[in-house]
Amino acid sequence: DAGVIQSPRHEVTEMGQEVTLRCKPISGHDYLFWYRQTMMRGLELLIYFNNNVPIDDSGMPEDRFSAKMPNASFSTLKIQPSEPRDSAVYFCASSSTTGANNQPQHFGDGTRLSIL
Amino acid sequence: DQQVKQNSPSLSVQEGRISILNCDYTNSMFDYFLWYKKYPAEGPTFLISISSIKDKNEDGRFTVFLNKSAKHLSLHIVPSQPGDSAVYFCAAYAPSGTYKYIFGTGTRLKVLA
């Protein structure tokens, strides 16, 4: 089975540009999560969706960040305008609530974002 | 405010010996805990979990211990192997009607051959 697929794997862009990160969750998973990894804060949850609906976006750092999930197989995280402090690795994860409780989240391999 | 803390950023262990990774939490409402392992340039992968109704869970070389009164959990790897060299994250899940995990900052384990 294909895992969570993220694109691009690497993104280098100049400050002020719009950045769009993409994620395809595991088929059949009804939860999708966006995380940011930094040295200081580890893995921070930015936002998560259930059945394509945003449930909790309290981790989104500011209005420059937005996320959408137009259908069950695709989500985007957009930063506009980007700033150097947004440089980090961004992970997407998905999970299922069917079956046993507390199903673990499955992560993609991340997008390494560098804002110059 | 970090609710899940991994106070050791790195740990080195000789191959064949025991690795012990520690994690502390502050929220007594957390009732389920997980450990994830992360290799460079890859996403974290689930390793082992434990419910708050247990104090130990074992899976092969990996054992997680939970001390609720101390709000502390630990991951033991015995025997350690070079392939275990990775960053280990602990995570906690609170039954607050959400499906959020709170992750620690990670501990980098290096197993020396």
Side-chain angles (χ1 to χ4, degrees):
Chain A
D1 281 343
V4 175
I5 299 172
Q6 291 187 246
S7 64
R9 290 298 312 274
H10 303 274
E11 175 86 17
V12 181
T13 192
E14 292 189 346
M15 182 174 67
Q17 297 297 307
E18 178 179 292
V19 173
T20 300
L21 311 182
R22 297 172 176 80
C23 176
K24 177 178 168 57
I26 292 172
S27 177
H29 280 190
D30 51 350
Y31 279 84
L32 183 139
F33 306 82
W34 282 101
Y35 289 89
R36 177 169 68 177
Q37 183 190 8
T38 61
M39 290 294 292
M40 290 298 294
R41 301 177 69 88
L43 278 163
E44 293 180 275
L45 178 66
L46 301 177
I47 185 171
Y48 78 95
F49 296 82
N50 176 221
N51 292 322
N52 314 337
V53 176
I55 302 300
D56 186 340
D57 65 355
S58 60
M60 296 285 260
E62 46 195 278
D63 291 345
R64 297 185 297 107
F65 286 69
S66 62
K68 294 182 179 179
M69 192 166 186
N71 57 63
S73 59
F74 183 66
S75 177
T76 59
L77 177 68
K78 188 173 291 187
I79 309 172
Q80 166 65 17
S82 57
E83 296 182 3
R85 60 191 168 123
D86 302 330
S87 298
V89 181
Y90 291 80
F91 288 102
C92 176
S94 69
S95 68
S96 170
T97 53
T98 58
N101 291 333
N102 298 315
Q103 293 288 325
Q105 296 175 15
H106 298 260
F107 283 76
D109 286 337
T111 294
R112 181 173 294 277
L113 177 63
S114 296
I115 309 298
L116 306 177
Chain B
D1 187 23
Q2 203 76 15
Q3 295 187 67
V4 178
K5 299 177 184 179
Q6 294 177 256
N7 292 318
S8 297
S10 64
L11 174 69
S12 291
V13 171
Q14 209 64 34
E15 181 180 6
R17 307 296 284 264
I18 184 170
S19 295
I20 300 176
L21 296 96
N22 295 305
C23 181
D24 297 293
Y25 61 95
T26 58
N27 190 338
S28 58
M29 296 301 291
F30 289 152
D31 72 346
Y32 193 76
F33 304 88
L34 308 93
W35 284 93
Y36 277 78
K37 177 178 176 179
K38 184 185 178 305
Y39 291 120
E42 295 183 10
T45 55
F46 170 71
L47 188 58
I48 193 170
S49 62
I50 188 166
S51 165
S52 61
I53 62 173
K54 296 185 175 181
D55 54 18
K56 177 182 172 181
N57 188 26
E58 193 171 350
D59 183 0
R61 297 186 297 114
F62 302 91
T63 303
V64 56
F65 295 91
L66 176 62
N67 182 334
K68 287 186 297 254
S69 60
K71 295 192 182 68
H72 176 83
L73 66 156
S74 60
L75 175 68
H76 292 212
I77 307 173
V78 183
S80 302
Q81 299 173 353
D84 297 329
S85 297
V87 177
Y88 290 79
F89 291 95
C90 68
Y93 168 74
S96 56
T98 76
Y99 284 85
K100 291 169 67 167
Y101 289 163
I102 308 297
F103 281 89
T105 51
T107 296
R108 182 178 300 277
L109 173 66
K110 189 171 184 178
V111 180
L112 307 169

